[in-house]
């Protein structure tokens, strides 16, 4: 029974060992390819072929994470071109994947240099300290650390003055803003008052205009009534169809007087001659 269990265990272990051997062989091949690409990229940098060198460094990094020379050298290439953000990322990558203290020392030393360029002196001090932990004998790192501490001290001394200036500037801006808001409010009040006065004036003008229109309408109505009344009076002065005119009345009276005169003459003649004579025709 024990022999059967041992045999099964052995059969399970042998494929695993074979797989580990193949993986190790592939890793060694990848590392070798990565190092060759790094060497070619270094040659391209010597010829000022940065684009080609950058592409090969990236391929070398993808091939193997253990080849920290690829990200470290690419970081140096970025640093020389003042691309400090990209340089810091590659130095950090190299420091995290470094297997030896020497590699970590170089990576953190250069990260400190990037912080110094960006005037981030507190971070530079921490980076140089980490570099010295991995190589306490490096005098260049020690010098940079001392310089970073001095610059940090000077920065901290200047901060209160800068803070006071910033506070004064903020206070001045706030006062100016308050003044602008107040001026804007006063201007708005003036505009509102002007609009109100304008409205009152307009109402007054509209009222006067309305009164004037009423007066004009009243006068117009009076004139219209007068015009209507005048034709009625003129109609009263004109003769009606069944009424005699003054001239006709005068003619009629004259005719009556003449007739009356004739009658009187006939009466007088009758008194003288007796029986009146008949006319040839009746009157």
């Amino acid at each position: 029974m024990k022999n059967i269990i041992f045999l099964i265990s052995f059969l399970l272990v042998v494929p695993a060992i074979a797989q580990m051997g193949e993986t190790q062989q592939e890793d060694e091949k990848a590392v070798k390819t990565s190092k060759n690409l790094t060497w070619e990229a270094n040659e391209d940098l010597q010829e000022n072929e940065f684009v080609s060198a950058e592409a090969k460094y990236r391929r070398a990094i993808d091939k193997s994470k253990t080849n920290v020379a690829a990200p470290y050298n690419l970081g140096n290439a970025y640093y020389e071109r003042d691309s400090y953000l990209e340089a810091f990322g590659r130095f950090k990558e190299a420091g995290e994947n470094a297997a030896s203290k020497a590699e970590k020392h170089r990576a953190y030393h250069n990260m400190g240099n990037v912080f110094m360029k960006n005037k981030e002196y507190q971070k530079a001090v921490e980076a140089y300290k980490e570099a010295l932990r991995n190589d306490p004998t490096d005098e260049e790192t020690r010098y940079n650390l001392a310089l970073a501490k001095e610059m940090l001290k000077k920065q901290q001394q200047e901060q209160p003055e800068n803070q006071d200036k910033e506070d004064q500037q903020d206070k001045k801006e706030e006062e100016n803003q308050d003044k602008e808001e107040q001026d804007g409010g006063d201007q708005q009040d003036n505009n509102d008052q002007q609009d109100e006065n304008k409205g009152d004036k307009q109402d007054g003008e509209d009222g006067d205009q309305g009164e004037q229109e009423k007066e004009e309408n009243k006068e117009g109505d009076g004139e219209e009534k007068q015009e209507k009344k005048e034709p009625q009076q003129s109609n009263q002065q004109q003769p009606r169809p069944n009424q005699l005119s003054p001239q006709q009345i005068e003619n009629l009276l004259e005719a009556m007087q003449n007739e009356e005169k004739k009658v009187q003459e006939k009466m007088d003649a009758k008194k003288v001659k007796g029986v009146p004579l008949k006319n040839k025709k009746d009157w």
Side-chain angles (χ1 to χ4, degrees):
M1 187 68 179
K2 292 181 180 180
N3 292 334
I4 295 174
I5 295 174
F6 175 76
L7 180 60
I8 295 173
S9 301
F10 179 77
L11 292 175
L12 294 174
V13 171
V14 170
I17 294 174
Q19 187 177 2
M20 290 176 60
E22 292 177 358
T23 302
Q24 184 176 3
Q25 184 178 1
E26 290 176 358
D27 289 344
E28 290 177 355
K29 184 179 180 181
V31 171
K32 184 177 180 179
T33 302
S34 177
K35 289 182 178 180
N36 289 336
L37 288 170
T38 302
W39 183 84
E40 292 176 5
N42 293 341
E43 292 293 323
D44 289 339
L45 280 182
Q46 293 293 330
E47 299 295 330
N48 293 324
E49 298 290 339
F50 174 75
V51 176
S52 177
E54 182 184 24
K56 290 178 180 178
Y57 281 134
R58 290 180 178 273
R59 288 172 58 195
I61 293 170
D62 292 337
K63 288 291 182 180
S64 175
K65 298 297 182 182
T66 61
N67 179 24
V68 296
Y72 180 83
N73 289 356
L74 180 56
N76 286 335
Y78 284 136
Y79 186 89
E80 293 296 329
R81 284 161 179 77
D82 298 334
S83 300
Y84 300 123
L85 182 61
E86 290 81 358
F88 177 80
R90 293 305 176 179
F91 291 144
K92 183 179 180 181
E93 183 180 2
E96 291 174 348
N97 295 327
S100 66
K101 288 188 175 182
E103 291 173 345
K104 286 184 177 293
H105 165 259
R106 288 193 293 269
Y108 281 98
H109 177 95
N110 284 5
M111 278 191 277
N113 291 346
V114 172
F115 287 131
M116 290 290 287
K117 288 289 186 179
N118 292 332
K119 297 182 180 180
E120 298 176 284
Y121 302 122
Q122 183 63 53
K123 293 181 179 180
V125 169
E126 299 300 328
Y128 288 136
K129 285 182 177 180
E130 186 63 27
L132 287 174
R133 291 189 186 99
N134 290 277
D135 186 4
T137 63
D138 191 284
E139 294 299 328
E140 184 178 355
T141 303
R142 195 175 300 278
Y143 173 83
N144 288 358
L145 175 59
L147 179 61
K149 287 181 178 180
E150 186 65 25
M151 296 301 295
L152 176 61
K153 182 179 178 180
K154 183 178 180 181
Q155 186 183 58
Q156 291 174 344
Q157 291 175 350
E158 292 176 351
Q159 280 181 349
E161 297 179 0
N162 295 333
Q163 187 65 36
D164 292 340
K165 291 180 180 179
E166 292 178 359
D167 293 340
Q168 292 177 0
Q169 183 66 23
D170 294 339
K171 185 177 180 180
K172 186 176 181 180
E173 291 178 357
E174 185 177 357
E175 291 176 354
N176 292 335
Q177 185 177 1
D178 294 339
K179 184 177 180 181
E180 290 177 358
E181 292 177 355
Q182 184 176 0
D183 294 341
D186 295 340
Q187 182 65 30
Q188 184 64 32
D189 293 339
N190 292 333
N191 293 336
D192 294 340
Q193 185 64 34
Q194 291 178 359
D195 293 339
E196 184 177 356
N197 295 336
K198 185 177 180 180
D200 294 340
K201 183 178 180 181
Q202 185 66 30
D203 293 339
E205 292 178 352
D206 294 340
D208 296 339
Q209 185 175 1
E211 293 295 333
Q212 184 176 0
E213 290 178 354
K214 289 181 180 179
E215 292 294 333
E216 292 178 354
N217 293 334
K218 185 175 180 181
E219 294 177 358
D221 293 340
E223 292 177 356
E224 185 177 357
K225 291 179 180 179
Q226 185 69 24
E227 290 176 356
K228 292 181 179 180
K229 186 175 180 180
E230 289 177 356
Q232 185 176 1
Q233 294 176 355
S234 60
N235 291 334
Q236 292 177 355
Q237 295 176 358
Q238 294 178 359
R240 296 179 180 179
N242 297 327
Q243 186 177 8
L244 297 176
S245 65
Q247 184 65 35
Q248 289 175 340
I249 294 173
E250 184 178 356
N251 294 334
L252 182 59
L253 291 174
E254 185 178 357
M256 290 176 66
Q257 291 177 358
N258 292 331
E259 185 64 25
E260 185 178 357
K261 184 177 180 180
K262 290 180 179 179
V263 172
Q264 186 64 37
E265 290 177 354
K266 289 180 179 181
M267 291 292 292
D268 294 338
K270 186 175 180 180
K271 290 178 180 179
V272 176
K273 295 180 178 180
V275 180
L277 295 175
K278 294 182 180 180
N279 294 329
K280 293 182 178 179
K281 72 180 173 180
D282 298 333
W283 180 85

